[in-house]
Amino acid sequence: MTALAVTIARKAYAGARDGGVLAIENLHFSVAANEFVCILGPSGCGKTTMLNVIAGLDKDFSGQIAFGESAARRRLAYVFQTPRLLPWRTVLENITLAAGSDPHSAANARALVAEVGLAGFEDAFPGQLSLGMQRRAALARAFAADPALLLMDEPFVSLDETAAAKLRALLLLLWRQRPATMLFVTHDSREAIQLGERLLLLTPSPAKLRADLRVTLSQEQRASPSAVEAFRTENLSFLAESRAPAEAPQYNSPMNRAFRP
Amino acid sequence: MARASQMRRRALWTGASVVVLVALWAALAVIADSRHVPAPFPVFQRIAEGIASRELPYHVGITLLRVVTSFGIAMLIGSAIGIAMGRLAGLDRFFDGWLILFLNMPALVTIILCYIWFGLNETAAIIAVAINKIPNAAVTLREGARAVDKDYHEMALVYEFGAWKTFRHVTLPQLVPYFAAASRSGLALVWKIVLVVELLGRPSGVGFQLYTFFQLFDVVGILAYAIAFIIVVQAIELLLLQPWEAAANRWRR
C-alpha cells in the first residue's frame, strides 16, 4: 500500500534572472506504508528542499504530493537538521506541545521522554542539555505526534560517531514499536545502509532520482560495520568514482543556460 | 549563601549611594542658604505630614491609577500595531510615515488638543497620555516582531499547533525582551506625561499638587511629592517588573 507518492516536476528558488536556481527537477518516487526509506545525496543537492515540499512548508513548486489513505488523516512529523526545540519551554512541554491534548497522547509523550533516555530532565530547558540530548528530545517530540509519516533531515549530524550510533539504534527501536513511514535524509551512505530498508540516491543539484535499491541486510548485519562496508562497496561503489566528474557537466543548471547565446 | 551575601553587598552599595546623595543635597542647601533650596529634613517631614493627613496618598494614588490605565491601554494598542507592522511588510511601508509623525509629535500638543476636543475630563487625560506612548511601544514591538525566528514557526506549522498555541508558545516568548524594554521606558515616560496632563487640566493628582505649590513657591512641597512618587515608581519596577522579567527569562542560561 502506498503511503506517499512524490512528484516534483520542478522546484526553483527565485533568482536574479532566468527562473532562478533550479533545486529539483523531475523527481518521482513512492513509498509503501511503514517503509523505512533513506534518501542519500551529496550536500546541497536539494534534500532539505524536498522534505520542506513534502511537509507542506514550501508550496512554491510544480508537482504533487499525494498521501495514502492511511496517512491522510494522521499526522506528519519532521525532525529538522537542528533540534528546533523551543528554548523557553521545558523538555516535557516541548514534547507534549507536539502531542495531541487527549490523555492518551499526554501519557505517550511522558513515556517517550523516558524511552529516549531523558528521564529526570523533564523540567530542564533545552539550553541546559547537550546537543545529543537535544536531538533525543527532538526525536521524542516527533514520535509523540503519533505520525503516519516521519520526515528526518540529517537528524544526527554534528554528533560524534558513538553518540550518533546510539541514536540510530534508538531510532530503529522507536520505529519498530511505533511503526511509521520514514523518510530519512542523509549524506552519509553508511548511516543510510544501517537504517534504511530502501535507499533512494539523488543526483547533485538539481536533484533527480539516480538509483533506487533495497538494503537486504538483517538486523545483526546492520549493526556490524564490516557488513555495512561490504554492502557499500558492492552496491554504492559508483558513488565514490562518479562524484567528482558529476559536478562538471551540469546541463540543466540555469547558470550554464544563461551563458549560452 | 553566596546569593544572600551578594544581595547584602548590593543593598549596602545602594544604601551608601543614597546616603551620599542626601548628604550632597544637605551641603548644597547650606551653601545656597535660600528659602527656595530646602534641606532634606523639612522635605522628609512634609512627606510624613502628607501621609498622616492622607492627602499625599490620595494624590499619589490618583496619579498612579492614571499611569496604570493609560500605560495599559498604550501597551495593548501599541504592541498590537507594532506586531502587525513587524509581520506585514505592506502595512509597515504604509504606516511608517504615520508612526514617525506621532513619534515626533510634542506631548504638549497632544495633551492640549485632547483637552480642546474631548473637554477637560478624565477620558481626555487618559487618551492624551496613551497617544503619547503608543508610538514608542509600536516601534519597539515592531523590532521584536521582525526578529521572530521563522524556524520555530515552521516547527509549529508541522506539528499543527494552531493559531493560539503558536502565538502563546512560539511568538510571545520571543517578544518578552521587547515587552520588557517597552514597559520600562514606557513607565518612565508615562508618569512624567501624566503629571503634565494633571497640571494642565485635572483637579487632583501629583501634577495638580505641583501646580498649587508652584503658585505658592513652595519648594518643600514640590520636592516632597516628587520624591514620594519616585519611590512608588521605583517600587513598581522592583516588585513587579523585575520579578516578572526574571520569571520570563528563567530559560536563559
Side-chain angles (χ1 to χ4, degrees):
Chain A
M1 199 173 65
T2 307
L4 171 72
V6 174
T7 311
I8 303 173
R10 193 184 140 83
K11 162 71 201 164
Y13 282 107
R17 56 178 173 175
D18 203 24
V21 179
L22 198 56
I24 304 173
E25 197 173 39
N26 291 327
L27 180 65
H28 312 272
F29 63 88
S30 55
V31 181
N34 297 341
E35 192 177 19
F36 199 130
V37 176
C38 282
I39 294 169
L40 191 59
S43 298
C45 80
K47 301 183 299 259
T48 301
T49 306
M50 180 197 76
L51 285 187
N52 285 342
V53 166
I54 295 172
L57 295 176
D58 191 337
K59 294 189 165 65
D60 178 27
F61 70 104
S62 57
Q64 200 196 355
I65 307 296
F67 296 95
E69 292 233 327
S70 63
R73 266 164 297 280
R74 278 176 72 202
R75 312 224 295 177
L76 181 134
Y78 193 161
V79 181
F80 301 92
Q81 213 170 81
T82 52
R84 293 203 198 177
L85 300 165
L86 299 173
W88 42 82
R89 292 287 179 263
T90 64
V91 168
L92 186 63
E93 284 168 345
N94 263 288
I95 294 167
T96 47
L97 275 172
S101 47
D102 55 297
H104 172 74
S105 303
N108 186 32
R110 275 194 171 275
L112 272 160
V113 176
E115 278 175 59
V116 300
L118 288 177
F121 290 94
E122 287 90 347
D123 297 328
F125 288 104
Q128 298 165 323
L129 304 182
S130 70
L131 179 64
M133 289 162 94
Q134 289 183 28
R135 292 208 178 283
R136 283 168 188 269
L139 207 56
R141 175 175 66 187
F143 278 99
D146 187 26
L149 173 64
L150 179 44
L151 308 174
M152 306 191 87
D153 187 6
E154 310 208 21
F156 306 142
V157 292
S158 46
L159 293 176
D160 62 80
E161 183 42 39
T162 334
K166 274 188 193 158
L167 276 172
R168 282 195 284 270
L170 175 65
L171 172 63
L172 285 176
L173 191 75
L174 288 170
W175 173 63
R176 286 191 192 108
Q177 287 167 349
R178 298 172 163 82
T181 307
M182 306 287 276
L183 229 51
F184 187 103
V185 157
T186 178
H187 65 268
D188 178 351
S189 54
R190 289 175 189 87
E191 180 172 72
I193 295 163
Q194 276 175 40
L195 289 172
E197 298 175 297
R198 185 177 154 206
L199 303 188
L200 296 178
L201 274 68
L202 300 186
T203 60
S205 177
K208 272 194 301 267
L209 205 57
R210 182 175 182 190
D212 179 349
L213 52 108
R214 300 228 140 251
V215 182
T216 50
L217 298 179
S218 67
Q219 261 192 62
E220 293 73 38
Q221 285 172 314
R222 285 169 196 271
S224 131
S226 59
V228 167
E229 204 54 51
F231 182 89
R232 192 168 164 267
T233 6
E234 190 181 336
N235 296 287
L236 298 176
S237 49
F238 61 91
L239 276 186
E241 301 147 22
S242 60
R243 187 167 293 174
E247 303 286 348
Q250 288 185 317
Y251 301 114
N252 287 317
S253 148
M255 290 298 281
N256 284 358
R257 235 182 292 143
F259 287 116
R260 265 179 223 160
Chain B
M1 213 165 99
R3 171 163 270 174
S5 82
Q6 205 179 19
M7 270 174 69
R8 207 174 316 134
R9 199 159 51 198
R10 232 176 83 182
L12 213 68
W13 272 103
T14 313
S17 98
V18 169
V19 167
V20 169
L21 189 68
V22 172
L24 260 170
W25 171 12
L28 210 68
V30 170
I31 295 165
D33 189 25
S34 153
R35 194 165 72 79
H36 298 142
V37 186
F41 182 69
V43 172
F44 295 138
Q45 204 172 26
R46 179 68 77 86
I47 294 178
E49 282 168 18
I51 293 172
S53 71
R54 303 253 174 89
E55 199 184 61
L56 189 137
Y58 167 74
H59 288 291
V60 168
I62 283 210
T63 299
L64 202 60
L65 198 66
R66 290 187 183 124
V67 168
V68 169
T69 315
S70 47
F71 173 76
I73 293 171
M75 281 300 287
L76 209 70
I77 297 176
S79 309
I81 294 174
I83 293 171
M85 285 177 77
R87 306 294 299 169
L88 306 165
L91 213 62
D92 188 31
R93 263 193 298 278
F94 188 80
F95 286 110
D96 192 45
W98 294 29
L99 203 56
I100 288 168
L101 179 88
F102 279 101
L103 261 178
N104 292 302
M105 174 90 76
L108 210 46
V109 173
T110 352
I111 295 167
I112 292 170
L113 287 180
C114 277
Y115 275 147
I116 292 175
W117 289 339
F118 306 118
L120 282 172
N121 55 49
E122 205 60 45
T123 319
I126 299 290
I127 291 175
V129 179
I131 288 177
N132 274 299
K133 169 61 190 158
I134 285 170
N136 292 61
V139 166
T140 312
L141 267 297
R142 176 173 67 177
E143 287 313 309
R146 278 179 185 159
V148 158
D149 195 329
K150 200 167 151 269
D151 283 4
Y152 295 124
H153 283 267
E154 285 187 353
M155 187 278 293
L157 206 63
V158 164
Y159 288 105
E160 295 172 4
F161 275 27
W164 167 241
K165 246 167 93 178
T166 305
F167 184 69
R168 190 172 153 221
H169 298 286
V170 182
T171 313
L172 220 47
Q174 296 187 67
L175 295 178
V176 163
Y178 298 89
F179 275 119
S183 310
R184 186 154 295 146
S185 71
L187 202 60
L189 181 78
V190 162
W191 85 260
K192 285 166 193 164
I193 298 173
V194 165
L195 295 199
V196 179
V197 167
E198 287 172 345
L199 183 140
L200 285 176
R202 293 281 76 212
S204 58
V206 175
F208 167 77
Q209 286 294 88
L210 293 180
Y211 182 54
T212 316
F213 295 140
F214 173 44
Q215 288 179 327
L216 302 170
F217 268 52
D218 179 359
V219 181
V220 174
I222 291 173
L223 288 177
Y225 269 79
I227 289 172
F229 205 71
I230 288 169
I231 290 171
V232 169
V233 171
Q234 198 55 51
I236 293 176
E237 162 88 25
L238 282 174
L239 300 177
L240 285 176
L241 280 182
Q242 283 187 9
W244 167 72
E245 214 186 333
N249 283 330
R250 204 161 35 103
W251 59 275
R252 285 181 209 274
R253 275 185 300 168

